[in-house]
Amino acid sequence: MRLSEIVPLIELEPLVVIDEPNFQVETVCGCDLMSDVLAFSQEKTMLLTGLTNPHVVRTCEMTDIKFIIFVRGKRPPQDTLDLARERGINLYLSPLSMFECCGRLYQAGLGSETMRRID
Amino acid sequence: MQEQTLLQSKIEQGDFTRGGEVSSSLKDVLRKLGIKSETSRRVTIVTYELEMNIIIHSLGGEIEVLISSEQIKVVATDRGPGIPDVEKAFQPGFSTADDFVRGMGFGAGMGLNNIKHYSDQLTVETGQGKKSKFTAIICL
Ligand SMILES: Nc1ncnc2c1ncn2[C@@H]1O[C@H](COP(=O)(O)OP(=O)(O)OP(=O)(O)O)[C@@H](O)[C@H]1O
Ligand SMILES: [Mg+2]
């Protein structure tokens, strides 16, 4: 699914845009625990989160996640925006809840990523 | 090739503002060296978890990353207070992180399990009231 299709679907407002809007998104990860993102994220995916501190950007940088969507209309602070720009990560804001975002994306055909099992 | 230091950096206790900078600059170094992205991803995740653990759980310490023709070695040392029960600390979900730290998205109790998963070899030297030393090796 193209990012340009996702934008209206979950009412995204762009905050930091680095890549083209025709970027293909295959899977979605909805998570507020950064270590879980580091642990279970196996492929290039899009992160939906309710956290807005700069460590969300750091975590995505380490796992090669290029797109972060902040849910519930929670605007990230300036240092998060600055870090994302510096590290080349796209940020978007959705006014919808985590559940609503995930539901709409799932219904539109996006799957969850394959998760590794705990060793 | 002889072992060479790629990066060596001090890490302060509680320094969340700079937390991740070491791993981030390491990622740039690995990219410049042309290291495969999957390998680089494993090395940076391991380093980031070790870096945040020093910031969150220790009195401060240091991370050194070394490279040879066969492997990348990440060595994280700190000044204590050490881990009393290592087996328990490695259990997924175990965490002593406080609410402030949890509020930032840490404290899932996945870090050590994660470090082990992404390393080819991991050794841990620690104990109650001791310094901790983690040596993680990722093969090239
Ligand atoms: N360098 C360290 N010094 C002292 N204790 C540590 C150190 N690293 C880890 N620990 C202890 O081991 C526990 C488990 O660590 P682990 O990294 O798995 O989880 P966490 O840091 O609590 O949460 P997460 O990494 O998921 O955000 C910690 O909660 C802490 O009690
Ligand atoms: Mg940890």
Side-chain angles (χ1 to χ4, degrees):
Chain A
M1 190 169 197
R2 276 177 212 283
L3 188 74
S4 55
E5 298 168 81
I6 295 178
V7 169
L9 189 65
I10 51 172
E11 303 167 29
L12 293 183
E13 172 191 331
L15 300 176
V16 173
V17 180
I18 304 212
D19 292 279
E20 292 297 305
N22 59 6
F23 183 89
Q24 282 284 344
V25 179
E26 308 286 341
T27 61
V28 180
C29 167
C31 193
D32 289 344
L33 292 169
M34 292 305 111
S35 255
D36 274 356
V37 176
L38 291 162
F40 298 112
S41 223
Q42 283 194 333
E43 48 197 276
K44 290 173 191 179
T45 186
M46 187 169 83
L47 177 70
L48 265 65
T49 184
L51 287 181
T52 55
N53 70 71
H55 287 287
V56 177
V57 175
R58 281 281 182 230
T59 300
C60 289
E61 184 192 348
M62 304 310 160
T63 45
D64 298 325
I65 295 174
K66 291 279 176 213
F67 284 87
I68 304 174
I69 294 170
F70 300 106
V71 300
R72 286 179 234 115
K74 239 193 256 174
R75 244 166 236 285
Q78 192 60 41
D79 48 356
T80 299
L81 299 174
D82 293 342
L83 187 64
R85 226 169 263 124
E86 186 191 315
R87 304 308 301 182
I89 292 172
N90 304 273
L91 303 184
Y92 289 83
L93 183 69
S94 171
L96 308 175
S97 71
M98 175 74 96
F99 183 75
E100 185 67 29
C101 285
C102 293
R104 290 190 191 184
L105 292 170
Y106 198 90
Q107 208 166 35
L110 279 177
S112 52
E113 52 176 357
T114 39
M115 222 178 69
R116 82 161 168 94
R117 302 285 159 170
I118 287 181
D119 310 319
Chain B
M1 183 171 70
Q2 255 203 315
E3 205 168 57
Q4 283 180 336
T5 300
L6 279 182
L7 177 152
Q8 187 172 20
S9 206
K10 293 233 173 318
I11 292 158
E12 303 294 333
Q13 173 184 26
D15 190 1
F16 289 98
T17 319
R18 297 192 53 204
E21 278 184 12
V22 174
S23 315
S24 181
S25 46
L26 175 65
K27 198 175 168 82
D28 290 340
V29 171
L30 297 176
R31 192 184 300 120
K32 284 197 192 103
L33 285 174
I35 304 293
K36 272 201 310 225
S37 71
E38 189 44 43
T39 308
S40 156
R41 187 172 182 271
R42 288 169 63 199
V43 174
T44 46
I45 290 177
V46 165
T47 309
Y48 185 54
E49 292 282 18
L50 288 169
E51 182 181 359
M52 292 316 298
N53 276 357
I54 293 178
I55 292 171
I56 295 169
H57 306 294
S58 88
L59 302 168
E62 183 181 288
I63 284 191
E64 187 177 11
V65 183
L66 303 118
I67 190 167
S68 70
S69 46
E70 297 92 45
Q71 63 185 42
I72 294 176
K73 186 156 92 183
V74 185
V75 186
T77 46
D78 66 48
R79 293 190 286 276
I83 303 173
D85 186 342
V86 182
E87 203 184 315
K88 200 162 154 193
F90 269 87
Q91 275 170 16
F94 176 84
S95 175
T96 57
D98 61 21
D99 286 348
F100 171 73
V101 169
R102 285 173 201 264
M104 280 188 293
F106 299 101
M110 280 308 297
L112 293 178
N113 180 272
N114 214 2
I115 291 164
K116 197 170 169 187
H117 174 75
Y118 287 115
S119 307
D120 289 305
Q121 203 187 308
L122 177 67
T123 53
V124 188
E125 295 155 57
T126 185
Q128 181 139 36
K130 292 192 177 148
K131 299 172 179 179
S132 298
K133 179 175 179 180
F134 290 82
T135 309
I137 289 172
I138 290 107
C139 297
L140 288 173

